[in-house]
């Protein structure tokens, strides 16, 4: 025992000493440190050569040129802007910069899925083969058609400014259904406004690159208005210091201190929904002080002075109406902007040679009240902006090859004779456009004269992003078959019976035809920068396959081998037109072109043009003056919408023909809902088809989103009167429903309003996206424009109470 | 060594961010995340634990409606040029963060970092973030990791590097092309992404560079220059309240 | 076995009582070890630390315990170094063993917590390999680990004095020869300790980006360097005395002569007074000159819960008041007042270390930053408390089995 302990002690001492003197501890320390530097669970990026592939961004309508960085030509790691592209000039928006996160999104649909359980049950989706999927849809379509219900096919399409939409239209026409709709956008109402005033469908464009004074009636220039990256780039140019040259003055007229407002030179905190009245008040001052071109307004314009209608009656003209109803004192009362201030702004606006009025709240995502669009156009007309070379022109059409005439058989003919389903309850709309809401209303009301058997939804997520999305949810319940063409398992796809996954934007051919609000002609092609990752199929090819399955005239009307061939055929027309050129290197300034002045073409033949377009170069052409292609009966700008006479509008009401301030009243009791809820958008929150990628969610401030809580903005006074404090939890109630939110007291909010950001509150996708905040579209209210049937959104009555 | 503690060198990279042009779109911050393999988690709303090299701050003038205004302030690492040492490089016990006196870039060596966070404590700009978790990407997003920047491991500090890997690439190219090293120019990801061209980057010692010109502008100011940290990131604004805020006390 | 190990001629509590006490301590240590393992496995996200508070509970408790453990080096310095010139200091031999044990547990405990504090403990040794000579932390790493080794060397002969070990001849010789050269180690330790106590102060003082902590100074050392040395020198012996008193109370007997406490009180009084004069001068210079030069007012630095009360408590309640108490002989003579003053001194130092660590970070430097409040989690305070339990454990074992107090037998005759 004694020996043992002693020996043990000696041994232990020896062992300790020996170990310390040996290299063992040092080696172990070193090895463990090396181990900590090479943990196997630390992701190790694949090494390899990095190459850049140019293409065009499809994440919004902005048409930016991009360069996708690839490792070993197969992994996309980064998206940068293409400096040669005149739209974004090398910059990108955060959505494009996040683009690879969509390519590698865990929530992508990897193959055709068929719902085998109740709709909305994600576990019910069973993978099927493409043959089976196309076979089944083709067979169903064929059966509907031969049973005389081709009109029972309806469609909702995203990405209206693309050849894909033209292909959809061709398919629907050949198939025999009038019921193809687009996701709503401001272009819907603008097109109708141009139809009324210029006699053809077009959207206005603004030469902002050379503006010296910008009067923005709530246009969120920096938050997604128009082509977002173009606006960013233009803004950077506006704020560029140039010795001896004054920077343009930006006046933002908006109830809420938006990003654009805080970045503007002046912010005019107008009362919600009264921008149109202010525009007419400014027109009043300009007319009163004779700050307009009298000769032009009388010789080129119908309805500025009093005019005579078809029945021979003298009607009030714009001048008289504005002088009578929009005196600064009256407008001040509506808008909360002092009369003197209105006079001052009008003076500045009239005095500046390159002054322009722009508008479009909600970033151009929803149609405007038609009379607002007409009023803002009128203000620009009065300023002389619509004259040749003026600040306001039209988004020029792109001379792509026209699609071949649709071949009709009896089924197609019969189907197209059926009424389109955007009917209102009482009567045919005076001015039908993209009446998606009227369509949903008809379905939900059971007012359709025939049954809608199948709804196809392409690159859109209306169940989430459509304002008052209850309407589409309800409508889906009444349609027996829903097929979606999407790359992602979004809220709409979850409600589908069949998902036919499209290639993701970086994996496919596609194009961008014209840019919203941009005065020069623009065309760009997106090409697959890498092979499809998953078992997806280009929706264009699926349409062609469906047409082939149906056969006959449907197949004959869509004769292309594949979508790429279709796109090539369209570019042939562009090449033949010869009105534009390719922007091949940085510094090209298409906005400097004069109307009708085509740049020297720099491609050899259609093949060469196609090759250059697919290598990332964009095509551009000159602007189109607003009055260049006038198509009205009078041949003049119809400030008084004379054509409404023939459209069944109540002719007794004088104002109906003229731009005027006609706010649509939100529903609900003003006592029970004392506040007005208004949505706003941010460039770092994707609010439409695409979900917010994790990269962008990371950039959200914690006073906007904390955990899963969304903060809504209210004015300090409003907070005080409601007894709410910073960060309080509250219930936000509108006639549409209620949600739980938290309070952010924000001195930039208008008193009496509650401002809610768009783009959060998803229920689909993955843990990086879902359940963060609330979706404003769940509680927003849409007001239908009585003239156009379009769903307009400006404010919803609301109430906030401490929760 | 010269009197001010810097080795004489012809290159000192710096940045100028024009806040009048900045629209707070966050493209810089997103491009930075993509370029530098910055990890993210399902909930990033705890900003005290969120890794963001290019953080965009929200600043306001404190006024009442309707005079209230706000602005954005993108904050990369300032790559402080204080004599001898930046606040962070001065304190790192293991030389994991050091300033390259030939370029002025403050780098951070992740495999050497012991995670003591002393540099974070030293930095008044909160430009440094700690890896509180093992970084993980949802399947299959690991495929979009850039091979140009290593991913970090838990327990180390990271921060903006002025995209120094791009400088290395540009230098390699210049070497192959037989060009002068001191004349190498490159563009960090944030500068490249900015859609309103609000960020200029280049050699502050080159009088003809845009960044040097902007740094001397009347609109230019620096954050906390009162602390003598000598930040190499300049801000420009025509708004006096922003100038005041940059160096105001609380 | 237990009896055989207890030193000759002293009385210790019955083994079951002692075992029960050990069990409590082991439970606390187990809890802390569990928390520590969780920290190592799950990483530091389980703590209350964040990018704003890079330093928190771990650093605070480390700084505090190292300051309080300074009794070891300073008693050693006075006893081995100064007693030649001031024979009165020879009295310290009666408590020097305890001082060494306290120093040993404080330093080894602090090192263990430090391993949790760093995000990459496996690379902790990089401080030697890739040392940055400018970093105060490098100085800390070097000095603390070297001094911990010195403390081990100082502790070993004590252990060898155990009745059973001493019986082994080679060990007896080894221990005896170590004793002979102990003065060298004590003075080496003194040198190291002065440096690392100072560099711990330097850790905060060199942060020129943090106006709350930053101080100008002498040569490469900021004023906090010297203030930390002084405060450690003042509080270390006070802490040793408090521990001794606690053991006396627990064992219900006298272990050292009252004269030892009186001597320590004089030492503490002297150094605490010097410290307070300089600390107040430093605070005035900081509040009136240095901080304003960076655009800060004193009031900018304090906001609830880190209010100005911290400054009042640290400087007045736990600084000036105990200094005055200890300077008055009548107060020193009364045990109640004496040990209250010692305790206040120790609390003051702990507050100082907390303020220089946590509050220094709570104060926003960028004007648009916000104040933050740091709340440690169980994973921080459990290892901290376990570390204190470990200290108690080692001291208990040492007291039971080693002849720590040379006067114990005489003071407690059977």
């Amino acid at each position: 025992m004694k020996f043992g302990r002693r020996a043990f002690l000696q041994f232990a001492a020896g062992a300790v000493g020996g170990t310390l003197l040996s290299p063992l501890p040092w080696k172990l320390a070193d090895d463990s440190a090396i181990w900590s530097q090479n943990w196997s669970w630390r992701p190790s990026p694949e090494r390899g050569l990095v190459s850049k592939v140019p293409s065009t961004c499809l994440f919004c309508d902005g048409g930016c040129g991009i360069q996708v960085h690839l490792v070993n030509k197969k992994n996309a790691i980064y998206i940068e802007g293409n400096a040669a592209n005149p739209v974004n000039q090398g910059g990108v928006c955060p959505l494009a910069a996040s683009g690879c996160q969509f390519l590698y999104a865990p929530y992508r649909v990897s193959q055709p899925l068929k719902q085998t359980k109740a709709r909305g049950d994600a576990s019910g989706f069973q993978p099927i083969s493409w043959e089976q999927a196309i076979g089944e849809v083709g067979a169903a379509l064929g059966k509907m058609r031969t049973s005389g219900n081709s009109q029972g096919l309806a469609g909702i399409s995203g990405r209206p400014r693309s050849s894909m939409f033209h292909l959809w239209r061709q398919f629907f026409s050949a198939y025999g259904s009038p019921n193809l709709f687009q996701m709503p956008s401001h272009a819907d109402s603008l097109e109708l406004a141009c139809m009324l005033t210029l006699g053809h469908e077009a959207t206005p464009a603004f030469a902002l690159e050379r503006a010296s004074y910008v009067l923005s009636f709530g246009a969120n220039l920096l938050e997604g208005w128009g082509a977002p990256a173009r606006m960013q780039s233009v803004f950077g140019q506006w704020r560029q210091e140039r010795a001896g040259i004054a920077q343009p003055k930006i006046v933002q007229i908006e109830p809420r201190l938006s990003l654009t407002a805080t970045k503007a030179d002046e912010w005019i905190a107008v009362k919600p929904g009264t921008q149109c009245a202010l525009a007419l008040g400014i027109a009043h001052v300009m007319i009163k002080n004779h700050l307009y071109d009298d000769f032009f307004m009388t010789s080129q314009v119908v309805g500025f002075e009093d005019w005579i209608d078809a029945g021979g009656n003298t009607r009030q003209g714009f001048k008289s109406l504005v002088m009578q109803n929009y005196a600064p004192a009256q407008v001040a009362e509506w808008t909360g902007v002092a009369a003197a201030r209105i006079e001052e702004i009008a003076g500045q606006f009239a005095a500046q040679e390159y002054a322009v009025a722009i508008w479009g709240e909600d970033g151009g995502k929803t149609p405007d009240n038609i009379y607002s669009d007409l009023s803002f156009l009128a203000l620009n007309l009065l300023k002389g902006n619509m004259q040749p070379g003026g600040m306001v022109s039209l988004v020029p059409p792109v001379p792509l090859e026209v699609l071949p005439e649709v071949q009709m058989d009896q089924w197609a003919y019969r189907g197209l004779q059926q009424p389109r389903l955007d009917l209102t309850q009482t009567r045919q709309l005076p001015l039908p456009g993209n009446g998606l809401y009227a369509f949903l209303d008809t379905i939900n009301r059971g007012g359709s004269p025939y049954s809608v058997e199948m709804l196809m939804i392409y690159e859109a997520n209306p169940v989430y992003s459509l304002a008052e999305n209850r309407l589409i949810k309800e409508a889906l319940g009444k349609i027996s078959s829903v097929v979606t063409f999407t790359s992602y398992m979004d809220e709409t796809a979850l409600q589908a019976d069949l998902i036919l996954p499209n290639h993701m934007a970086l994996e496919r051919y596609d194009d961008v035809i014209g840019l919203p609000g941009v005065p020069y002609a623009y065309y760009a092609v997106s090409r697959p920068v890498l092979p499809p990752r998953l078992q997806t199929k280009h929706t264009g090819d699926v349409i062609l396959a469906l047409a082939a399955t149906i056969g006959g005239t449907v197949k004959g009307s869509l004769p292309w081998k594949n979508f790429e061939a279709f796109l090539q055929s369209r570019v042939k027309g562009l090449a033949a037109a010869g009105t534009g050129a390719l922007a091949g290197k940085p510094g090209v300034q298409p906005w400097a072109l004069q109307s009708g002045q085509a740049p020297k073409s720099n491609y050899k033949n259609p093949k060469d043009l196609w090759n250059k377009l697919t290598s990332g170069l964009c095509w551009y052409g000159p602007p189109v003056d607003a009055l260049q292609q006038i198509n009205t009966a009078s041949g003049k700008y119809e400030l008084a919408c004379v054509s409404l006479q023939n459209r069944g509008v109540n002719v007794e009401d004088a104002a109906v023909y003229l731009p005027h301030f006609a706010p649509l009243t939100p529903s609900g009791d003003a006592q029970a809902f004392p506040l007005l809820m208004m949505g706003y958008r941010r460039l770092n929150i994707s609010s439409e088809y695409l979900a917010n990628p994790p990269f962008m969610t990371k950039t959200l401030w914690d006073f906007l989103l904390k955990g899963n809580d969304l903060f809504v903005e209210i004015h300090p006074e409003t907070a005080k009167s409601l007894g709410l404090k910073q960060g309080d939890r509250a219930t936000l109630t509108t006639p549409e429903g209620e949600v739980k939110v938290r309070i952010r007291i924000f001195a930039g909010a208008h008193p009496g309003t509650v401002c809610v950001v768009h783009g959060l509150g998803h229920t689909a996708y993955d843990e990086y996206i879902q359940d963060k905040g609330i979706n404003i579209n769940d509680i927003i209210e849409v007001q239908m424009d009585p003239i156009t049937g379009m769903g307009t959104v400006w404010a919803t009555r609301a109430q906030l109470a401490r929760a | 060594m010269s009197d001010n503690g810097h080795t004489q060198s012809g290159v000192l990279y710096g940045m100028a961010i024009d806040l009048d042009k900045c629209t707070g779109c966050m493209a810089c911050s997103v491009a930075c995340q993509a370029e530098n393999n910055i990890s993210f988690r399902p909930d990033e709303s705890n900003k005290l634990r969120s890794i963001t090299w290019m953080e965009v701050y929200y600043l306001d003038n404190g006024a009442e409606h309707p005079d209230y205004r706000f602005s954005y302030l993108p904050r990369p690492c300032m790559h402080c040029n204080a004599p001898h040492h930046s606040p962070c490089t001065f304190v790192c016990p293991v030389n994991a963060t050091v300033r390259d006196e030939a370029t002025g870039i403050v780098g951070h060596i992740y495999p050497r970092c012991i995670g003591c966070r002393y540099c974070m404590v030293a930095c008044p700009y909160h430009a440094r973030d700690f890896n509180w978790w093992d970084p993980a990407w949802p399947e299959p997003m690991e495929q979009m990791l850039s091979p140009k920047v290593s991913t970090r491991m838990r327990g180390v500090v990271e921060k903006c590097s002025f995209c120094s890997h791009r400088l290395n690439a540009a230098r390699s190219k210049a070497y192959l092309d037989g060009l002068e090293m001191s004349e190498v120019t490159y563009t960090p990801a944030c500068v490249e992404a900015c859609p309103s061209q609000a960020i200029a980057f280049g050699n502050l010692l080159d009088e003809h560079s845009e960044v040097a010109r902007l740094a001397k502008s009347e609109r230019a100011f620096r954050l906390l220059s009162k602390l003598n940290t000598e930040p190499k990131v300049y801000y420009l604004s025509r708004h006096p309240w922003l100038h005041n805020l940059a160096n105001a006390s609380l | 076995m237990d009896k055989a190990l207890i030193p000759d001629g002293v009385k210790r509590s019955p083994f079951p009582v002692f075992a029960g006490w050990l069990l409590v301590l082991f439970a606390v240590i187990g809890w802390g070890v569990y928390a520590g393992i969780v920290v190592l496995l799950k990483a530091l996200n389980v703590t209350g630390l964040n990018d704003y508070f890079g330093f928190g509970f771990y650093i605070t408790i480390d700084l505090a315990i190292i300051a309080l453990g300074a009794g070891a080096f300073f008693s050693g310095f006075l006893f081995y170094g100064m007693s030649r010139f001031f024979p009165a200091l020879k009295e310290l031999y009666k408590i020097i063993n305890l001082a060494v044990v306290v120093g040993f547990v404080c330093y080894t405990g602090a090192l263990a917590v430090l391993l949790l504090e760093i995000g990459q403990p496996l690379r902790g040794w990089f401080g030697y390999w890739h040392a940055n000579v400018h970093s105060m932390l490098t100085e800390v790493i070097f000095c603390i680990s070297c001094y911990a080794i010195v403390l081990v060397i100082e502790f070993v002969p004590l252990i060898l004095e155990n009745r059973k070990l001493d019986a082994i001849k080679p060990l007896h010789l080894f221990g005896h020869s170590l004793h002979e050269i102990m003065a060298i180690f004590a003075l080496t330790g003194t040198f190291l300790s002065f440096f690392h106590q100072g560099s711990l102060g330097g850790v905060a003082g060199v942060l020129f980006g943090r106006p709350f902590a930053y101080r100008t100074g002498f040569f490469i050392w900021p004023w906090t360097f010297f203030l930390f040395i002084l405060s450690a020198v003042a509080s270390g012996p006070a802490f040793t005395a408090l521990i001794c008193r606690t053991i006396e109370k627990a064992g219900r007997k006298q272990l050292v002569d009252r004269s030892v406490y009186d001597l320590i009180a004089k030492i503490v009084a002297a150094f605490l007074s010097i410290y307070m004069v300089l600390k107040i001068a430093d605070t005035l210079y900081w509040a009136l000159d240095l901080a304003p030069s960076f655009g800060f007012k004193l009031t900018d630095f304090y906001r609830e819960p880190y209010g100005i009360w911290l400054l009042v408590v640290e400087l007045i309640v736990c600084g000036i008041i105990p200094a005055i108490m200890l300077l008055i002989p009548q107060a020193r003579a009364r045990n109640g007042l004496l040990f209250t003053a010692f305790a206040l001194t120790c609390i003051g130092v702990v507050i100082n270390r907390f303020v220089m660590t946590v509050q220094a970070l709570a104060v926003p430097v960028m004007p648009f930053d916000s104040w933050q409040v740091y709340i440690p989690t169980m994973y921080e305070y459990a290892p901290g408390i376990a570390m204190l339990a470990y200290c108690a454990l080692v001291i208990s074992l040492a007291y039971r089995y080693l002849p720590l107090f040379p006067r114990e037998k005489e003071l407690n005759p059977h």
Side-chain angles (χ1 to χ4, degrees), chain C residues 339-353:
Chain C
F339 290 107
T340 306
F342 282 167
L344 287 177
T345 308
C346 292
I347 293 169
V349 167
V350 173
I351 292 176
N352 174 264
R353 300 311 192 249

Side-chain angles (χ1 to χ4, degrees), chain A residues 37 41-43 90 92 94 98 104 232 239-241 259 262-263 265 533 695 698 700-701 707 744 747 772, chain B residues 19 21-23 25 30 33 39 42 45 47 51 56 58 65 70 72 111 134 140 151 192-193 196 219 238:
Chain A
Q37 292 161 342
W41 60 88
R42 180 175 64 121
V92 283
S98 309
Y104 298 110
Q232 297 286 326
R239 290 284 182 254
Q240 177 68 40
E241 275 186 316
L259 173 53
T262 198
K263 286 282 163 186
D265 297 274
R533 273 187 56 231
F695 278 163
K698 192 171 199 168
L700 300 181
W701 286 302
R744 177 187 178 217
K772 292 188 187 297
Chain B
L19 300 183
K21 286 184 177 180
C22 170
T23 65
C25 74
V30 169
Q33 293 180 54
S39 65
S45 68
K47 297 303 170 190
I51 301 175
V56 181
Y58 176 98
H65 182 95
F70 60 88
Y72 300 89
D134 279 309
T151 55
E192 179 180 271
S196 58
R219 292 190 300 131
R238 55 184 175 156

